């Protein structure tokens, strides 16, 4: 039995390339969740020394609830960001290009284009970060009235 890499894969179709966005696109989400984790650890370890009343009575319950919610929400956001990053993929096969875009946790869009309908492929790298880290935009122009495919933040766009 042949392995299927995506839902609409034909029996004789061979995936040649799987492309996800560059890791640099995750940097802002990772930094912001890291700062929230740091704030939580600060509150967990240092706040009782700064405000000793926090560890007594009802204020202790409130303190634990707020820190628990902070860690829970931060972990949920981090998980969803990483999951959406992993599920967004461009697959190049021997017959077509398939783009799977996971907009939100329960919102997915799949676009396909046959290789025979491609007229032009262009790449664009703008800015210092894209040039130094070698990622950018790949635009595929199609024949006729079909919309162009634009893949943003793709690593090694010239090779893709």
């Amino acid at each position: 039995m042949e392995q299927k890499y995506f839902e609409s894969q034909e029996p004789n179709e061979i995936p040649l390339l799987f492309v996800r966005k560059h890791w640099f696109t995750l940097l802002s989400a990772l930094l912001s969740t890291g700062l929230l984790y740091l704030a939580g650890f600060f509150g967990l370890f240092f706040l009782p020394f700064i405000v000793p009343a926090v560890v007594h009575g009802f204020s202790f319950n409130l303190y634990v609830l707020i820190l628990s919610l902070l860690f829970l929400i931060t972990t949920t956001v981090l998980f969803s960001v990483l999951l959406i990053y992993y599920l967004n993929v461009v697959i190049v096969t021997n017959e077509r290009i398939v783009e799977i875009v996971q907009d939100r946790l329960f919102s997915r869009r799949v676009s396909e284009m046959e290789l025979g309908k491609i007229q032009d492929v262009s790449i664009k790298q703008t800015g210092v970060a894209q040039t130094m880290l070698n990622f950018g935009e790949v635009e595929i122009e199609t024949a006729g009235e079909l919309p162009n495919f634009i893949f943003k933040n793709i690593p090694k766009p010239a090779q893709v």
Side-chain angles (χ1 to χ4, degrees), residues 38 98 106 127 136:
L38 279 175
V98 179
F106 300 105

Side-chain angles (χ1 to χ4, degrees), residues 94-110:
N94 59 338
E95 296 179 9
R96 60 191 163 152
I97 298 173
V98 179
E99 179 186 29
I100 302 172
V101 177
Q102 189 80 29
D103 294 319
R104 295 179 302 278
L105 284 180
F106 300 105
S107 174
R108 187 171 85 151
R109 183 172 29 95
V110 178

Side-chain angles (χ1 to χ4, degrees), residues 57-72:
F58 178 74
S59 61
F60 178 72
N61 295 340
L62 193 59
Y63 165 72
V64 169
L65 175 69
I66 290 172
L67 282 179
S68 299
L69 286 175
L70 177 69
F71 282 117
L72 179 69

Side-chain angles (χ1 to χ4, degrees), residues 2-11 13-15 96:
E2 293 183 28
Q3 182 177 4
K4 287 186 82 167
Y5 293 97
F6 55 97
E7 294 169 5
S8 63
Q9 182 178 352
E10 300 293 328
E13 194 170 21
I14 302 166
R96 60 191 163 152

Side-chain angles (χ1 to χ4, degrees), residues 43-64:
L44 184 65
F45 294 114
F46 297 115
L47 193 61
F49 295 114
I50 297 171
V51 184
V54 160
V55 293
H56 300 292
F58 178 74
S59 61
F60 178 72
N61 295 340
L62 193 59
Y63 165 72
V64 169

Side-chain angles (χ1 to χ4, degrees), residues 48-156:
F49 295 114
I50 297 171
V51 184
V54 160
V55 293
H56 300 292
F58 178 74
S59 61
F60 178 72
N61 295 340
L62 193 59
Y63 165 72
V64 169
L65 175 69
I66 290 172
L67 282 179
S68 299
L69 286 175
L70 177 69
F71 282 117
L72 179 69
I73 290 170
T74 304
T75 303
T76 304
V77 167
L78 181 62
F79 174 75
S80 66
V81 164
L82 292 174
L83 184 68
I84 289 171
Y85 170 80
Y86 180 75
L87 292 176
N88 282 336
V89 65
V90 175
I91 304 169
V92 179
T93 71
N94 59 338
E95 296 179 9
R96 60 191 163 152
I97 298 173
V98 179
E99 179 186 29
I100 302 172
V101 177
Q102 189 80 29
D103 294 319
R104 295 179 302 278
L105 284 180
F106 300 105
S107 174
R108 187 171 85 151
R109 183 172 29 95
V110 178
S111 305
E112 300 177 2
M113 176 193 305
E114 294 177 15
L115 293 180
K117 294 185 178 179
I118 295 175
Q119 282 193 330
D120 186 36
V121 178
S122 60
I123 65 165
K124 182 168 62 170
Q125 289 179 301
T126 56
V128 177
Q130 288 187 359
T131 305
M132 298 286 287
L133 297 173
N134 194 17
F135 70 98
E137 182 177 293
V138 176
E139 182 175 1
I140 301 175
E141 294 182 24
T142 61
E145 71 281 345
L146 295 174
N148 293 345
F149 272 37
I150 299 174
F151 308 122
K152 296 184 180 201
N153 300 319
I154 299 294
K156 301 176 186 175

